[in-house]
Amino acid sequence: MSSKERVAIIGTVGIPAKYGGFETLANYLVDELHTRFNFTVYCSKYNYDNKVKSYNNAKLIYLPLNANGKSSIVYDAISILHSLFYSDTLLILGVSGAFMIPFVRIFSNKKIITNIDGLEWKRNKWGRLAKKYLKWQESIAVKYSHNVIVDNQGIREHVKLNYNKKSTLITYGSNHAFFEILMPETIIKYELPKEYAFKVCRIEPENNIELILATFSKCNKNIVIIGNWNSSRYGEKLKLKYSPFDNIWILDPIYDQKILNQIRSNCTIYIHGHSAGGTNPSLVEAMYLGLPIIAFNVNYNKFTMNNLSYYFSNEDDLLKILNKLEKEKLKLIGIDLKTFAESNYTWSKIANEYSKLF
């Protein structure tokens, strides 16, 4: 029998990663640490047609539930219960099923490590009851976990201020992002302009999509925005309103990562409008690619970028920044951000920090 520590990873759609920051994190923890730990990863069977039993020596357990939305509560709870029979350490990503943690502490000696994510209860997409539930779960996770992981200094300060508890700061890796040459067929297919700003994200209010679109509608700069416009009335309304502008390219989701990377890699400016959460995976990827970035003015984004870029709080801020940009200055910003990402956001560094807790 192996003497390696047994670690369960709970709270993701699964691996190999197809979607989301936590999935990418789980994937790279297994890639980097599978020779040192025995991993079990819980997966949603609805997201995998080919249900392999293992990935890079990690055991994969498929549950007949969706990993996101309301069903994530049951999904995480069942994963936690099941993992008690197969693991020494539980790495729980997110707080949906945190109500289980006190019972685990009472009835077992398993080690509980919880990454509380980016203050999920603040997101506008949740209703009043959902926000209350998520905030309650966050408090349980912080109180009863052996170790609490935060991905941003802003979240760390929140945990200290509101719960008087220390947390471990571990961010995300970015060195899986790679530069792609923009191919002529991609330019033709999407009718892309020669120079453009770029944004890719979920079309949700806290990502400040409307602010960004409204600003670009008032200037002559081009922008390409990729997102799930048709998933909500909010997205449909914005798509209908801003599609007529000649300098705004509104594109539906692109699931071919190679093509998406082509369009992202060759933008002149990356616009990051996220106002909620901690260290955003798409932001550190843009940094690693050396893209000049203009970001929404919240402490999470400033901590992530070491305050090395431009920041906006409203339409006037963003418009002023866009109108005064110089190519040489943008180039230097991109170089500084890439240098910082190469030193701080590599998967080997992140995995090593997790391994200390395991």
Side-chain angles (χ1 to χ4, degrees):
M1 181 177 289
S2 174
S3 60
K4 292 191 293 186
E5 187 82 4
R6 301 173 301 166
V7 179
I9 301 180
I10 293 160
T12 79
V13 169
I15 60 173
K18 292 183 177 181
Y19 168 89
F22 272 158
E23 285 69 33
T24 304
L25 169 62
N27 206 134
Y28 279 95
L29 288 180
V30 170
D31 287 348
E32 295 283 342
L33 302 174
H34 68 271
T35 60
R36 297 168 58 188
F37 301 95
N38 284 330
F39 285 103
T40 298
V41 182
Y42 289 86
C43 313
S44 171
K45 81 168 191 176
Y46 298 123
N47 290 82
Y48 293 92
D49 294 326
N50 183 23
K51 298 174 183 61
V52 297
K53 293 183 178 180
S54 66
Y55 171 82
N56 226 345
N57 292 340
K59 182 179 180 181
L60 306 185
I61 304 292
Y62 297 91
L63 299 180
L65 292 162
N66 286 312
N68 295 311
K70 293 178 182 178
S71 63
S72 67
I73 298 171
V74 181
Y75 180 84
D76 287 4
I78 293 174
S79 300
I80 290 169
L81 281 174
H82 189 273
S83 69
L84 297 179
F85 298 97
Y86 296 98
S87 303
D88 306 302
T89 297
L90 281 60
L91 173 61
I92 303 173
L93 303 176
V95 300
S96 292
F99 64 91
M100 295 291 296
I101 298 174
F103 298 102
V104 175
R105 292 292 303 270
I106 292 170
F107 296 108
S108 80
N109 61 352
K110 307 298 181 180
K111 187 174 189 178
I112 306 292
I113 303 169
T114 305
N115 185 323
I116 63 170
D117 203 5
L119 309 188
E120 188 70 14
W121 52 271
K122 280 192 172 184
R123 297 188 188 277
N124 293 327
K125 67 179 180 179
W126 301 119
R128 184 172 56 88
L129 289 176
K131 286 183 176 182
K132 282 189 174 183
Y133 174 79
L134 289 168
K135 191 172 183 180
W136 175 44
Q137 295 306 289
E138 177 188 273
S139 67
I140 293 172
V142 171
K143 183 176 181 179
Y144 291 101
S145 298
H146 292 94
N147 295 100
V148 175
I149 296 175
V150 296
D151 63 25
N152 189 282
Q153 180 62 27
I155 310 289
R156 190 184 218 176
E157 292 174 358
H158 161 79
V159 171
K160 181 63 178 174
L161 179 65
N162 290 277
Y163 303 110
N164 195 29
K165 185 167 181 177
K166 291 182 179 180
S167 55
T168 303
L169 175 60
I170 310 178
T171 58
Y172 289 108
S174 63
N175 54 312
H176 60 282
F178 54 93
F179 182 88
E180 285 276 4
I181 296 172
L182 187 57
M183 302 302 289
E185 54 267 30
T186 302
I187 297 173
I188 293 169
K189 180 177 179 179
Y190 296 102
E191 301 179 342
L192 298 175
K194 185 176 180 181
E195 292 186 352
Y196 56 89
F198 178 74
K199 179 169 180 59
V200 58
C201 65
R202 293 188 184 95
I203 307 304
E204 297 171 350
E206 62 259 29
N207 292 337
N208 286 294
I209 308 298
E210 189 165 13
L211 185 161
I212 293 166
L213 287 169
T215 304
F216 275 86
S217 72
K218 298 172 184 175
C219 71
N220 60 1
K221 307 279 186 186
N222 298 319
I223 186 168
V224 176
I225 304 187
I226 300 175
N228 56 333
W229 303 95
N230 299 322
S231 296
S232 66
R233 291 179 65 186
Y234 171 76
E236 290 171 344
K237 178 183 174 183
L238 292 180
K239 186 177 184 181
L240 182 65
K241 181 177 180 179
Y242 289 101
S243 289
F245 288 88
D246 292 338
N247 65 320
I248 296 175
W249 277 252
I250 291 180
L251 304 183
D252 290 327
I254 296 175
Y255 297 107
D256 187 324
Q257 193 63 43
K258 190 177 181 69
I259 292 175
L260 183 62
N261 280 338
Q262 287 181 35
I263 300 173
R264 176 175 64 171
S265 297
N266 292 276
C267 69
T268 53
I269 313 163
Y270 187 87
I271 309 291
H272 187 73
H274 292 56
S275 62
T279 297
N280 183 265
S282 65
L283 179 57
V284 295
E285 289 174 9
M287 291 172 64
Y288 188 79
L289 289 171
L291 302 178
I293 297 169
I294 303 173
F296 191 72
N297 189 10
V298 288
N299 64 348
Y300 309 122
N301 294 335
K302 287 185 173 182
F303 283 129
T304 300
M305 296 193 290
N306 199 32
N307 209 15
L308 291 170
S309 194
Y310 291 110
Y311 304 92
F312 64 94
S313 300
N314 50 51
E315 290 180 35
D316 288 341
D317 288 350
L318 182 54
L319 195 59
K320 286 176 185 176
I321 293 168
L322 292 171
N323 286 334
K324 73 176 183 181
L325 287 177
E326 300 175 3
K327 287 188 176 180
E328 285 304 311
K329 177 65 173 175
L330 285 175
K331 185 177 179 181
L332 290 174
I333 289 172
I335 292 171
D336 287 344
L337 290 172
K338 182 172 178 62
T339 300
F340 188 76
E342 288 175 337
S343 298
N344 294 275
Y345 301 130
T346 62
W347 283 116
S348 58
K349 181 177 185 295
I350 274 65
N352 186 55
E353 293 299 316
Y354 271 90
S355 73
K356 293 175 185 177
L357 298 182
F358 298 159

